[in-house]
Amino acid sequence: MSHTYPLKRLAVIASVLSYTLILSACATHNTEDEHTVYAPGLGEFMAQISTRHIKLWYAGDAENWQLADYELEEIHEGLDDLAKYHPTHDKIKGSIPNMIAVYMKAPLEQTEAAIKVKNVGAFRAGYDSLTTACNSCHQANNFGFNVIARPSGNPFTNQSFQTQL
Ligand code: HEC
């Protein structure tokens, strides 16, 4: 008789514990869901790409080829991520990976080649074709009112675009 009471207590503790475990498992599951569903929207990707487009200009203009190469690569990665997370979009007529290949591939390669040979004139020409390509995709998607241009003033005064090495 003396040891039935502790056994009952053990059973109660066990059931409370399993209930707590189930609750915490549910809580963890919900948090994970919230994290996995978020992906930046098309406009957010564009705003990032546009920032890199400005920085690319100031890096190339200062003949800081290492930085120019980095910024161009960031534009490339931004476009790759855009294609991955939004293969289609209600604002884009057709496949986004396809449009990026059609409009962006050649000017990206042209700019990359200019950076590799460290030629500022070729860089400017590559940069202008890249900018024209941005606008061609905007025009093809009823977004021609958003016009991209060579930047005319550097908004990133907290970053030095001059070569440091
Ligand atoms: C695949 C076609 C496509 C390409 C390529 C493209 N854009 Fe866009 N861009 C769009 C569309 C569509 C929108 C409208 C997005 C929205 O409203 O959700 C947009 C929006 C923008 C915006 C407005 C974002 C804002 O918050 O103000 C900027 C800036 C921009 N693009 C810059 C660029 C630059 C710079 C390039 C080239 C390096 C580029 N885009 C290449 C299709 C494209």
Side-chain angles (χ1 to χ4, degrees):
M1 254 340 225
S2 61
H3 51 262
T4 53
Y5 179 57
L7 272 178
K8 260 189 186 166
R9 258 178 52 178
L10 269 179
V12 170
I13 291 168
S15 67
V16 169
L17 263 179
S18 55
Y19 189 59
T20 317
L21 279 175
I22 290 166
L23 279 184
S24 62
C26 289
T28 317
H29 190 68
N30 279 342
T31 327
E32 269 172 12
D33 274 355
E34 279 162 28
H35 285 300
T36 47
V37 293
Y38 179 74
L42 175 58
E44 271 74 49
F45 275 113
M46 281 295 145
Q48 281 291 342
I49 289 168
S50 182
T51 296
R52 267 66 189 253
H53 178 263
I54 298 173
K55 292 187 176 191
L56 173 63
W57 175 255
Y58 287 104
D61 199 48
E63 301 190 39
N64 185 344
W65 303 116
Q66 206 178 351
L67 184 61
D69 186 50
Y70 170 81
E71 298 298 353
L72 188 70
E73 191 48 41
E74 290 296 307
I75 293 178
H76 221 140
E77 280 176 18
L79 290 167
D80 285 350
D81 284 347
L82 171 65
K84 182 176 160 194
Y85 290 101
H86 298 285
T88 58
H89 193 277
D90 54 7
K91 287 197 175 127
I92 302 263
K93 300 181 208 155
S95 134
I96 293 191
N98 187 49
M99 286 212 152
I100 290 171
V102 167
Y103 292 112
M104 307 306 290
K105 194 173 178 287
L108 281 170
E109 283 173 2
Q110 185 189 343
T111 314
E112 197 184 330
I115 290 172
K116 206 162 267 169
V117 298
K118 306 181 178 187
N119 181 316
V120 74
F123 169 79
R124 288 189 181 128
Y127 190 90
D128 288 342
S129 347
L130 191 68
T131 308
T132 303
C134 305
N135 288 325
S136 298
C137 199
H138 290 172
Q139 283 156 14
N141 292 287
N142 297 332
F143 208 66
F145 60 88
N146 187 313
V147 181
I148 306 301
R150 269 190 192 184
S152 56
N154 180 6
F156 299 106
T157 52
N158 64 341
Q159 182 172 359
S160 171
F161 289 87
Q162 304 305 315
T163 310
Q164 303 293 312
L165 305 171

